[in-house]
Amino acid sequence: MMGCCGCCSALRPRYKRLVDNIFPVNPEDGLVKSNMEKLTFYSLRSPEKLDRIGEYLYQRASKDINRKRYKFVEIAMEAMDLLLMACHAQILNLFVESFLRMVQKLMEDVNPTLQIMATNSFVRFANIEEDTPSYHRRYDFFISKFSSMCYGNSDDLELRDSIRMAGIKGLQGVIRKTVSDDLVENIWEKQHMEKIVPSLLFNMQSASGSKAVDQEATPSTPPVLAESVLRELVSRASFGHIRAVLKPLLTHLDNHKLWVPNRFAIDTFRIVMISIQPQYSYTVVETLMSHLDQNLASSPKTRTSLAVVLSKIIAIAAGESVGPSALDIINNLLTHLKTSVSTQHESTPEETQYQEALINALGEFANHHPDYQKIEIMLFIMNTVPDPTKKNKGDQLLQSILLKSLLKVGTQYRTVSFEKAFPVSFLQPLLKMARAASVPIRVIVMQIFQQLLDRHQNQHLLNSLSVSHYPTLTVEQASRSDILFTHKYGAGILQAILDGMSQENHMEVLKSSYNTAGLMVVELACSETVQEFLLFVLSIQQVAVAEVELSPKHRCNLHSIAITLLILIGRCTGIGPLVEYAEKVIQSRMEDASYLLPPLLDNEKPAPSTLNTNQPHLMIDKLAVAECLQQAGLEHNRVQTGTPYSLNQTDMSAHRHSWVDTSAARNSIVDANYDAESVSSSPGVQKRSLPVDFNFESMKRVLAEPTEANKREAREKQAAIGRTFRETAFEDLVRRTEPQHDVLQNKLNEIFNSLSAERQINCGNQLMAAAGATVVDGANSKMNQQRPIYENNFPELFFY
């Protein structure tokens, strides 16, 4: 029998004999190394035999598994690994089929050691780059098996972690093997992602807290390894595949109620946002907002947690979102805010937190955009705010919420030029909202102005009224651009502030209005704009005196604001006489009417029984303020003769006449010509026909003749001069004009002296010819003694 067996053995194929020889008699001795080298050499010399070698190894291992001879199974698997490493990429396909069948056979066994060993072999196989495409391989079994291993729940913690680690490594191997090969099974399909992503998240959430993965160190625990694999999976996802990862992620968070608390959700989405390709990051934000749409019926806590997660990650996506994608995200956030307000029957803390989370998300998103895009975002939000004339509760609540979101964006904006920060399309609706009936809305609008006006961080210093000096106030000389902005829009803004603070005696409104006006003074007041602000101060006092519907406390508070702004104007512009005058009025009020000074009178403080507003020394006098400007060598006519602000002006252009209006009226006809010429150069636009008499001479006549504004200004000036002559003493007129007419008087004296000398010469010649030298001498002596009447000094006002 032995001889027969030897004879049969000799007749067996050589590859089988070589495979048999690698197995020792005693399985504990392990693989026979020398014979393994012979088998490897043979497989490389005869690659056509490689598939048969693999099939024979698989058959032997299957028999050993059935007989529970696990040591021989391990030797067979080790031989498989060595042959796999030795094979060239060109012939790998001949062996892989048997290899994968061997791995699957081991993983189907209940022995965890075999499962771990088979997984390690699969991972080594996954790291091999193949040149030859494979059309027939499928990894369904491996994805399912590795995913199930990720949920290992053995009582032995060490064994449990080993099985989970093996499952995560197996999934990583499948991802690496399939994601770069378009011919194999598509790993991004729904049925695969619904197994892979939850398996990774399950292991990540088992840790006490998600920690950042050290990319250089080898992950040693299932949570860290799972996070590393999730990063790799997301980083390999293309635009069309990223949603396949996000959908099972959101489903897992929903099913396991991981939104409240949302710490794990925040960490997970941060991992996704950091790992994803930057150009696809806004897709994550859109997907999360779409998920928020689907959870509108959920509890406010769940929606708030979703919004908080959104606010934490939206900043990462902001850098890559430009143009329509950025405005689309903003529009979605505003839509959620509107939906929250429209479905909110009553104000609850949970719903308010949800709205604040959305507003924070909006602010974070805008913060990572350049300033020019922040202006576009603010304008976009402003256009969605309901009209201030709508006074029902729902519209007012929506106005408040949207303005809060606008304020959030405004806090992230750093103003350099007021012209850019306040475009007309943004400023006009904002000024309308400043006159809204709702107190909270007016306060929010004032806060928006403060954020955009405060270029030197002075806002906190002006939070409360004070007539004392601000030692830490930062004042910078207004630029030419600032001066032009004040001439164009300063009156409209100040008018809106005056209207807002005059509606009712509300402390928050008055303080915020003063803060806004004070910031305008600090940023824009200078020698060329000071008259605008002084007229505003006089208008506040005029409202406090003349409006009969104001309460006594309200009148006192307006007087306090007026004197506080007056001394602030003097100190910011460095006009010494104005500061001295303001301090004189303050001192008089301290002695006789302290209630006309800060602090403001709130509802708790009693109102004064009588107001001493009829005493001139307690009030700000227009002529005295104009005289202060005159003493400082500044223009003062507008303060002296200008019309103060009046209430209830709703249009930004409905303010007093200024030099800008004059130039605008003067250039309107020129602008019309420019428009016509520009239309002619535009394709598809019909050129407008010009009037017959529209020529150079007609334009010259129009420019030469005074405009209605000039005529009105001349009439006002003439009336003011008339009032001055009627109401002022002659000595006072002489005193007020003496410092300014010296140069003119000296020049007139030179002219009259020269005329007098010529007249004396002519008269002398005539007298000498008629009466002789004696008569001439007498006449000359008489003329020298008599002084001509035109040599008397007259005030400058008489020269009109």
Side-chain angles (χ1 to χ4, degrees), residues 482-516:
D482 296 337
I483 296 172
L484 291 176
F485 175 81
T486 307
H487 286 317
K488 287 182 180 179
Y489 309 117
I493 300 175
L494 294 174
Q495 179 69 60
I497 296 174
L498 179 64
D499 292 342
M501 71 170 61
S502 302
Q503 292 186 28
E504 55 188 297
N505 186 42
H506 193 282
M507 290 296 102
E508 287 298 320
V509 173
L510 294 177
K511 289 180 180 179
S512 60
S513 299
Y514 165 74
N515 195 317
T516 305

mmCIF file of all heavy atoms in Angstrom, residues 482-516:
data_model
loop_
_atom_site.group_PDB
_atom_site.id
_atom_site.type_symbol
_atom_site.label_atom_id
_atom_site.label_comp_id
_atom_site.label_asym_id
_atom_site.label_seq_id
_atom_site.Cartn_x
_atom_site.Cartn_y
_atom_site.Cartn_z
ATOM 1 N N ASP A 482 -15.992 111.634 3.338
ATOM 2 C CA ASP A 482 -16.923 111.758 4.464
ATOM 3 C C ASP A 482 -17.719 113.054 4.382
ATOM 4 O O ASP A 482 -18.923 113.077 4.681
ATOM 5 C CB ASP A 482 -16.158 111.704 5.786
ATOM 6 C CG ASP A 482 -15.462 110.374 6.005
ATOM 7 O OD1 ASP A 482 -15.904 109.383 5.396
ATOM 8 O OD2 ASP A 482 -14.486 110.335 6.769
ATOM 9 N N ILE A 483 -17.061 114.118 3.987
ATOM 10 C CA ILE A 483 -17.747 115.417 3.879
ATOM 11 C C ILE A 483 -18.822 115.366 2.802
ATOM 12 O O ILE A 483 -19.959 115.836 2.999
ATOM 13 C CB ILE A 483 -16.723 116.533 3.593
ATOM 14 C CG1 ILE A 483 -15.750 116.675 4.781
ATOM 15 C CG2 ILE A 483 -17.424 117.849 3.313
ATOM 16 C CD1 ILE A 483 -14.597 117.617 4.516
ATOM 17 N N LEU A 484 -18.495 114.770 1.673
ATOM 18 C CA LEU A 484 -19.486 114.649 0.606
ATOM 19 C C LEU A 484 -20.660 113.771 1.046
ATOM 20 O O LEU A 484 -21.823 114.065 0.726
ATOM 21 C CB LEU A 484 -18.827 114.050 -0.635
ATOM 22 C CG LEU A 484 -17.809 114.954 -1.364
ATOM 23 C CD1 LEU A 484 -17.153 114.204 -2.508
ATOM 24 C CD2 LEU A 484 -18.484 116.222 -1.877
ATOM 25 N N PHE A 485 -20.369 112.707 1.779
ATOM 26 C CA PHE A 485 -21.443 111.849 2.274
ATOM 27 C C PHE A 485 -22.360 112.625 3.216
ATOM 28 O O PHE A 485 -23.593 112.485 3.166
ATOM 29 C CB PHE A 485 -20.842 110.641 2.989
ATOM 30 C CG PHE A 485 -21.867 109.751 3.636
ATOM 31 C CD1 PHE A 485 -22.562 108.817 2.890
ATOM 32 C CD2 PHE A 485 -22.144 109.860 4.996
ATOM 33 C CE1 PHE A 485 -23.520 108.006 3.478
ATOM 34 C CE2 PHE A 485 -23.091 109.051 5.595
ATOM 35 C CZ PHE A 485 -23.784 108.122 4.832
ATOM 36 N N THR A 486 -21.780 113.452 4.072
ATOM 37 C CA THR A 486 -22.590 114.241 5.006
ATOM 38 C C THR A 486 -23.466 115.239 4.256
ATOM 39 O O THR A 486 -24.650 115.413 4.590
ATOM 40 C CB THR A 486 -21.675 114.987 5.992
ATOM 41 O OG1 THR A 486 -20.785 114.064 6.608
ATOM 42 C CG2 THR A 486 -22.503 115.691 7.059
ATOM 43 N N HIS A 487 -22.911 115.882 3.239
ATOM 44 C CA HIS A 487 -23.704 116.841 2.472
ATOM 45 C C HIS A 487 -24.848 116.154 1.742
ATOM 46 O O HIS A 487 -25.933 116.723 1.590
ATOM 47 C CB HIS A 487 -22.812 117.577 1.469
ATOM 48 C CG HIS A 487 -21.903 118.592 2.104
ATOM 49 N ND1 HIS A 487 -22.326 119.444 3.094
ATOM 50 C CD2 HIS A 487 -20.590 118.891 1.883
ATOM 51 C CE1 HIS A 487 -21.331 120.229 3.461
ATOM 52 N NE2 HIS A 487 -20.256 119.913 2.744
ATOM 53 N N LYS A 488 -24.620 114.919 1.278
ATOM 54 C CA LYS A 488 -25.656 114.220 0.515
ATOM 55 C C LYS A 488 -26.715 113.599 1.420
ATOM 56 O O LYS A 488 -27.910 113.752 1.191
ATOM 57 C CB LYS A 488 -25.012 113.121 -0.341
ATOM 58 C CG LYS A 488 -24.236 113.626 -1.525
ATOM 59 C CD LYS A 488 -23.691 112.446 -2.333
ATOM 60 C CE LYS A 488 -22.909 112.924 -3.539
ATOM 61 N NZ LYS A 488 -22.367 111.778 -4.318
ATOM 62 N N TYR A 489 -26.276 112.863 2.442
ATOM 63 C CA TYR A 489 -27.200 112.019 3.195
ATOM 64 C C TYR A 489 -27.263 112.321 4.685
ATOM 65 O O TYR A 489 -28.073 111.734 5.390
ATOM 66 C CB TYR A 489 -26.814 110.544 3.025
ATOM 67 C CG TYR A 489 -26.643 110.126 1.600
ATOM 68 C CD1 TYR A 489 -25.415 109.684 1.117
ATOM 69 C CD2 TYR A 489 -27.712 110.185 0.716
ATOM 70 C CE1 TYR A 489 -25.259 109.299 -0.200
ATOM 71 C CE2 TYR A 489 -27.566 109.806 -0.616
ATOM 72 C CZ TYR A 489 -26.324 109.354 -1.064
ATOM 73 O OH TYR A 489 -26.188 108.981 -2.372
ATOM 74 N N GLY A 490 -26.390 113.221 5.164
ATOM 75 C CA GLY A 490 -26.376 113.499 6.600
ATOM 76 C C GLY A 490 -27.698 114.038 7.103
ATOM 77 O O GLY A 490 -28.201 113.615 8.154
ATOM 78 N N ALA A 491 -28.301 114.954 6.353
ATOM 79 C CA ALA A 491 -29.569 115.546 6.783
ATOM 80 C C ALA A 491 -30.665 114.493 6.851
ATOM 81 O O ALA A 491 -31.498 114.501 7.767
ATOM 82 C CB ALA A 491 -29.974 116.665 5.819
ATOM 83 N N GLY A 492 -30.680 113.555 5.882
ATOM 84 C CA GLY A 492 -31.705 112.509 5.901
ATOM 85 C C GLY A 492 -31.572 111.594 7.099
ATOM 86 O O GLY A 492 -32.560 111.215 7.735
ATOM 87 N N ILE A 493 -30.340 111.230 7.442
ATOM 88 C CA ILE A 493 -30.121 110.354 8.607
ATOM 89 C C ILE A 493 -30.491 111.080 9.898
ATOM 90 O O ILE A 493 -31.166 110.530 10.772
ATOM 91 C CB ILE A 493 -28.662 109.872 8.634
ATOM 92 C CG1 ILE A 493 -28.336 109.080 7.370
ATOM 93 C CG2 ILE A 493 -28.404 109.018 9.868
ATOM 94 C CD1 ILE A 493 -26.888 108.671 7.246
ATOM 95 N N LEU A 494 -30.040 112.332 10.025
ATOM 96 C CA LEU A 494 -30.353 113.091 11.237
ATOM 97 C C LEU A 494 -31.855 113.344 11.365
ATOM 98 O O LEU A 494 -32.407 113.338 12.472
ATOM 99 C CB LEU A 494 -29.587 114.418 11.220
ATOM 100 C CG LEU A 494 -28.055 114.300 11.305
ATOM 101 C CD1 LEU A 494 -27.412 115.672 11.136
ATOM 102 C CD2 LEU A 494 -27.624 113.676 12.636
ATOM 103 N N GLN A 495 -32.520 113.543 10.236
ATOM 104 C CA GLN A 495 -33.971 113.733 10.264
ATOM 105 C C GLN A 495 -34.666 112.479 10.790
ATOM 106 O O GLN A 495 -35.598 112.559 11.602
ATOM 107 C CB GLN A 495 -34.482 114.051 8.861
ATOM 108 C CG GLN A 495 -35.983 114.238 8.770
ATOM 109 C CD GLN A 495 -36.447 115.507 9.459
ATOM 110 O OE1 GLN A 495 -36.035 116.601 9.096
ATOM 111 N NE2 GLN A 495 -37.283 115.370 10.467
ATOM 112 N N ALA A 496 -34.210 111.301 10.335
ATOM 113 C CA ALA A 496 -34.800 110.049 10.812
ATOM 114 C C ALA A 496 -34.546 109.855 12.302
ATOM 115 O O ALA A 496 -35.412 109.366 13.043
ATOM 116 C CB ALA A 496 -34.235 108.879 10.019
ATOM 117 N N ILE A 497 -33.353 110.232 12.769
ATOM 118 C CA ILE A 497 -33.057 110.129 14.205
ATOM 119 C C ILE A 497 -33.972 111.044 15.008
ATOM 120 O O ILE A 497 -34.513 110.656 16.054
ATOM 121 C CB ILE A 497 -31.574 110.464 14.464
ATOM 122 C CG1 ILE A 497 -30.663 109.434 13.780
ATOM 123 C CG2 ILE A 497 -31.287 110.521 15.960
ATOM 124 C CD1 ILE A 497 -29.195 109.770 13.865
ATOM 125 N N LEU A 498 -34.171 112.268 14.512
ATOM 126 C CA LEU A 498 -35.045 113.213 15.204
ATOM 127 C C LEU A 498 -36.480 112.697 15.260
ATOM 128 O O LEU A 498 -37.135 112.763 16.310
ATOM 129 C CB LEU A 498 -34.990 114.566 14.497
ATOM 130 C CG LEU A 498 -35.882 115.664 15.080
ATOM 131 C CD1 LEU A 498 -35.453 116.012 16.497
ATOM 132 C CD2 LEU A 498 -35.854 116.906 14.187
ATOM 133 N N ASP A 499 -36.967 112.151 14.138
ATOM 134 C CA ASP A 499 -38.334 111.618 14.119
ATOM 135 C C ASP A 499 -38.486 110.454 15.086
ATOM 136 O O ASP A 499 -39.507 110.323 15.782
ATOM 137 C CB ASP A 499 -38.704 111.169 12.702
ATOM 138 C CG ASP A 499 -38.821 112.338 11.742
ATOM 139 O OD1 ASP A 499 -38.951 113.478 12.236
ATOM 140 O OD2 ASP A 499 -38.763 112.120 10.525
ATOM 141 N N GLY A 500 -37.469 109.605 15.134
ATOM 142 C CA GLY A 500 -37.555 108.431 16.004
ATOM 143 C C GLY A 500 -37.549 108.790 17.473
ATOM 144 O O GLY A 500 -38.347 108.260 18.263
ATOM 145 N N MET A 501 -36.693 109.721 17.870
ATOM 146 C CA MET A 501 -36.603 110.056 19.296
ATOM 147 C C MET A 501 -37.759 110.941 19.755
ATOM 148 O O MET A 501 -37.971 111.112 20.954
ATOM 149 C CB MET A 501 -35.258 110.731 19.592
ATOM 150 C CG MET A 501 -35.131 112.136 19.050
ATOM 151 S SD MET A 501 -33.658 113.009 19.669
ATOM 152 C CE MET A 501 -32.331 111.998 19.066
ATOM 153 N N SER A 502 -38.496 111.503 18.806
ATOM 154 C CA SER A 502 -39.599 112.395 19.169
ATOM 155 C C SER A 502 -40.928 111.673 19.331
ATOM 156 O O SER A 502 -41.899 112.275 19.774
ATOM 157 C CB SER A 502 -39.752 113.497 18.111
ATOM 158 O OG SER A 502 -38.557 114.228 17.978
ATOM 159 N N GLN A 503 -40.990 110.387 18.964
ATOM 160 C CA GLN A 503 -42.276 109.688 18.996
ATOM 161 C C GLN A 503 -42.755 109.423 20.414
ATOM 162 O O GLN A 503 -43.930 109.591 20.723
ATOM 163 C CB GLN A 503 -42.182 108.369 18.211
ATOM 164 C CG GLN A 503 -41.998 108.585 16.714
ATOM 165 C CD GLN A 503 -42.056 107.281 15.942
ATOM 166 O OE1 GLN A 503 -42.699 106.332 16.360
ATOM 167 N NE2 GLN A 503 -41.373 107.234 14.799
ATOM 168 N N GLU A 504 -41.858 108.983 21.283
ATOM 169 C CA GLU A 504 -42.258 108.693 22.652
ATOM 170 C C GLU A 504 -41.038 108.723 23.555
ATOM 171 O O GLU A 504 -39.899 108.613 23.089
ATOM 172 C CB GLU A 504 -42.951 107.329 22.740
ATOM 173 C CG GLU A 504 -42.119 106.186 22.183
ATOM 174 C CD GLU A 504 -42.907 104.905 22.121
ATOM 175 O OE1 GLU A 504 -43.303 104.433 23.194
ATOM 176 O OE2 GLU A 504 -43.118 104.368 21.014
ATOM 177 N N ASN A 505 -41.291 108.838 24.837
ATOM 178 C CA ASN A 505 -40.209 108.954 25.820
ATOM 179 C C ASN A 505 -39.784 107.548 26.262
ATOM 180 O O ASN A 505 -40.057 107.112 27.366
ATOM 181 C CB ASN A 505 -40.665 109.788 27.021
ATOM 182 C CG ASN A 505 -39.519 110.055 27.989
ATOM 183 O OD1 ASN A 505 -38.405 110.345 27.559
ATOM 184 N ND2 ASN A 505 -39.790 109.955 29.279
ATOM 185 N N HIS A 506 -39.102 106.844 25.388
ATOM 186 C CA HIS A 506 -38.626 105.491 25.691
ATOM 187 C C HIS A 506 -37.110 105.550 25.863
ATOM 188 O O HIS A 506 -36.386 106.028 25.001
ATOM 189 C CB HIS A 506 -39.020 104.535 24.570
ATOM 190 C CG HIS A 506 -38.850 103.090 24.943
ATOM 191 N ND1 HIS A 506 -37.628 102.460 24.943
ATOM 192 C CD2 HIS A 506 -39.766 102.154 25.343
ATOM 193 C CE1 HIS A 506 -37.791 101.199 25.306
ATOM 194 N NE2 HIS A 506 -39.069 100.995 25.563
ATOM 195 N N MET A 507 -36.625 105.038 26.984
ATOM 196 C CA MET A 507 -35.217 105.188 27.320
ATOM 197 C C MET A 507 -34.305 104.553 26.278
ATOM 198 O O MET A 507 -33.290 105.130 25.878
ATOM 199 C CB MET A 507 -34.934 104.570 28.698
ATOM 200 C CG MET A 507 -35.524 105.329 29.870
ATOM 201 S SD MET A 507 -34.817 106.979 30.060
ATOM 202 C CE MET A 507 -36.133 107.967 29.357
ATOM 203 N N GLU A 508 -34.640 103.317 25.834
ATOM 204 C CA GLU A 508 -33.787 102.626 24.882
ATOM 205 C C GLU A 508 -33.710 103.389 23.559
ATOM 206 O O GLU A 508 -32.640 103.485 22.951
ATOM 207 C CB GLU A 508 -34.306 101.203 24.647
ATOM 208 C CG GLU A 508 -34.071 100.257 25.804
ATOM 209 C CD GLU A 508 -32.590 100.070 26.096
ATOM 210 O OE1 GLU A 508 -31.803 99.987 25.131
ATOM 211 O OE2 GLU A 508 -32.211 100.037 27.284
ATOM 212 N N VAL A 509 -34.838 103.926 23.129
ATOM 213 C CA VAL A 509 -34.850 104.681 21.874
ATOM 214 C C VAL A 509 -34.010 105.945 22.003
ATOM 215 O O VAL A 509 -33.205 106.274 21.118
ATOM 216 C CB VAL A 509 -36.301 105.012 21.467
ATOM 217 C CG1 VAL A 509 -36.309 105.946 20.254
ATOM 218 C CG2 VAL A 509 -37.074 103.745 21.153
ATOM 219 N N LEU A 510 -34.189 106.669 23.096
ATOM 220 C CA LEU A 510 -33.446 107.919 23.278
ATOM 221 C C LEU A 510 -31.943 107.658 23.380
ATOM 222 O O LEU A 510 -31.138 108.368 22.775
ATOM 223 C CB LEU A 510 -33.947 108.644 24.517
ATOM 224 C CG LEU A 510 -35.399 109.167 24.452
ATOM 225 C CD1 LEU A 510 -35.790 109.804 25.769
ATOM 226 C CD2 LEU A 510 -35.568 110.155 23.304
ATOM 227 N N LYS A 511 -31.570 106.626 24.135
ATOM 228 C CA LYS A 511 -30.136 106.333 24.289
ATOM 229 C C LYS A 511 -29.522 105.880 22.974
ATOM 230 O O LYS A 511 -28.426 106.312 22.604
ATOM 231 C CB LYS A 511 -29.946 105.262 25.367
ATOM 232 C CG LYS A 511 -30.218 105.754 26.781
ATOM 233 C CD LYS A 511 -30.006 104.636 27.795
ATOM 234 C CE LYS A 511 -30.276 105.128 29.216
ATOM 235 N NZ LYS A 511 -30.102 104.044 30.224
ATOM 236 N N SER A 512 -30.220 104.996 22.261
ATOM 237 C CA SER A 512 -29.676 104.518 20.992
ATOM 238 C C SER A 512 -29.641 105.640 19.950
ATOM 239 O O SER A 512 -28.708 105.714 19.138
ATOM 240 C CB SER A 512 -30.505 103.337 20.479
ATOM 241 O OG SER A 512 -31.854 103.715 20.267
ATOM 242 N N SER A 513 -30.631 106.533 19.991
ATOM 243 C CA SER A 513 -30.628 107.658 19.058
ATOM 244 C C SER A 513 -29.467 108.600 19.353
ATOM 245 O O SER A 513 -28.779 109.082 18.431
ATOM 246 C CB SER A 513 -31.952 108.420 19.141
ATOM 247 O OG SER A 513 -33.039 107.591 18.791
ATOM 248 N N TYR A 514 -29.234 108.868 20.647
ATOM 249 C CA TYR A 514 -28.091 109.702 20.995
ATOM 250 C C TYR A 514 -26.779 109.046 20.583
ATOM 251 O O TYR A 514 -25.867 109.701 20.061
ATOM 252 C CB TYR A 514 -28.081 109.986 22.500
ATOM 253 C CG TYR A 514 -26.747 110.520 22.974
ATOM 254 C CD1 TYR A 514 -26.364 111.833 22.695
ATOM 255 C CD2 TYR A 514 -25.848 109.704 23.662
ATOM 256 C CE1 TYR A 514 -25.133 112.317 23.093
ATOM 257 C CE2 TYR A 514 -24.610 110.178 24.070
ATOM 258 C CZ TYR A 514 -24.255 111.486 23.782
ATOM 259 O OH TYR A 514 -23.047 111.958 24.171
ATOM 260 N N ASN A 515 -26.680 107.743 20.803
ATOM 261 C CA ASN A 515 -25.465 107.024 20.431
ATOM 262 C C ASN A 515 -25.199 107.153 18.940
ATOM 263 O O ASN A 515 -24.064 107.424 18.518
ATOM 264 C CB ASN A 515 -25.603 105.547 20.829
ATOM 265 C CG ASN A 515 -24.277 104.818 20.814
ATOM 266 O OD1 ASN A 515 -23.485 104.979 19.903
ATOM 267 N ND2 ASN A 515 -24.043 104.011 21.833
ATOM 268 N N THR A 516 -26.240 106.991 18.135
ATOM 269 C CA THR A 516 -26.071 107.091 16.683
ATOM 270 C C THR A 516 -25.676 108.500 16.269
ATOM 271 O O THR A 516 -24.742 108.692 15.476
ATOM 272 C CB THR A 516 -27.373 106.685 15.980
ATOM 273 O OG1 THR A 516 -27.766 105.379 16.407
ATOM 274 C CG2 THR A 516 -27.193 106.690 14.468
#
